[in-house]
Amino acid sequence: MADIVQQRLEDRIPGLEQLERVGLFTNKEVKSMLKRSTALEYKLHRAIQCKDDFITYIQFEINTLELIKKRRARIGYHFKREEIEYPIIQGINSVFRRATSKWQEDVQLWLSHVAFNKKWGSKTQLSKILLSMLAIHPDKPALWIMAAKCEMEDRNSSESARHLFLRALRFHPENKKVYLEYFRMELMHAEKMRKQQQELEQAKIDVGEYQFSPEILSGKLAEVIYRDAAQKIKGAEFVLSLLQIAAIFDFTKDLQDKILQDLQSQYSDDCLMWDFMAKRELDSAGAPELQSAKGRASDTDRREERCCLVYEEALKSLNSEAMWTCYVTFCFERYKRKTNVTELKEKVTNLVFYLFVYKVIPRLCFSTLALQDRV
């Protein structure tokens, strides 16, 4: 054990000497650091190892990196990073690997290793850690999503992110969150490619034989994901979640239309579909921008009428408690909305009153009598 500890400490000496040589640390500070490192290193080689000892050592070394960063900024010295920081980062990664190897079930320990490398480590090292973590914890969808996002955002690798999502779906073929994030990722990648193409065209740069994939640019890959997800996971709520993601991007009109068609044809018996279609009328294209308050109120009035017509149409075929709840909730939301137009206030008030007196109360009475007959 002593030989191993001694070897690790000797590997640290050149970096510590550099710290003193360039004026980042004093000789006294270097000696204190070496003494502290020695004590911590011996703790890691006890017969009975403690996780807290590993965490304490890692935190000590991270604090050292933070202190070096502050002193570099203070004196304006930005050289010899490979001789100073790199050995410390390697040492921290080594301690992390030993810890995660012994306490593999500790997800937080893995996540701490990932977070450290996102800030201090290399992108290649980050990818290796993510793959090792997923090999131990393939049953956790959230980790697959996090790993794919790291590949996309930190390593700028959409191909690696796509590969991770596909692997995640092998383990979790009906997980809604995985599908939603995979769908979002493909649309974000398409948007990014579209912007790159636009910038190159504006700059009149010849890209040679390289061509942007039309399937990616138009969102066709996202549509493939949507079709697969809609086949495996049923329910208007899930389809609406996909539609809301697609609506964020301005190039997905065809995809949105396709999702809307499927929603209306497959979920006509679901109150969520009707609720969405009704509220959608509030955002539909109507009159041009009006200047007067009365003109805007009139336009709002027409939109609200169209919403109510959709709700009334829904109740003809889906006269259920859930559907009535959606309708009444919508009316109350409009009732609570602030407006200074008296006519609009009165109209919404009358609508709420009409629903309760002529629709909701009779329905509740009928339900009560039916329950009494059963008793």
Side-chain angles (χ1 to χ4, degrees), residues 258-322:
K258 169 62 180 170
I259 298 175
L260 275 172
Q261 290 173 9
D262 292 346
L263 188 66
Q264 290 175 286
S265 62
Q266 297 176 20
Y267 298 102
S268 59
D269 59 344
D270 195 313
C271 63
L272 290 178
M273 186 279 290
W274 286 105
D275 190 45
F276 172 80
M277 296 304 296
K279 291 178 179 178
R280 190 166 175 264
E281 293 295 330
L282 286 174
D283 303 320
S284 61
E289 198 69 29
L290 299 169
Q291 297 300 322
S292 66
K294 191 171 182 179
R296 290 194 298 271
S298 178
D299 185 55
T300 301
D301 183 28
R302 286 192 293 271
R303 292 169 187 266
E304 289 178 346
E305 282 185 0
R306 292 200 297 268
C307 291
C308 292
L309 288 175
V310 176
Y311 280 116
E312 295 290 346
E313 180 66 25
L315 289 167
K316 292 178 182 177
S317 58
L318 190 63
N319 194 11
S320 65
E321 183 178 344

Side-chain angles (χ1 to χ4, degrees), residues 246-257:
I248 298 171
F249 303 89
D250 57 9
F251 60 90
T252 61
K253 184 181 182 306
D254 291 342
L255 178 57
Q256 291 182 58
D257 290 343

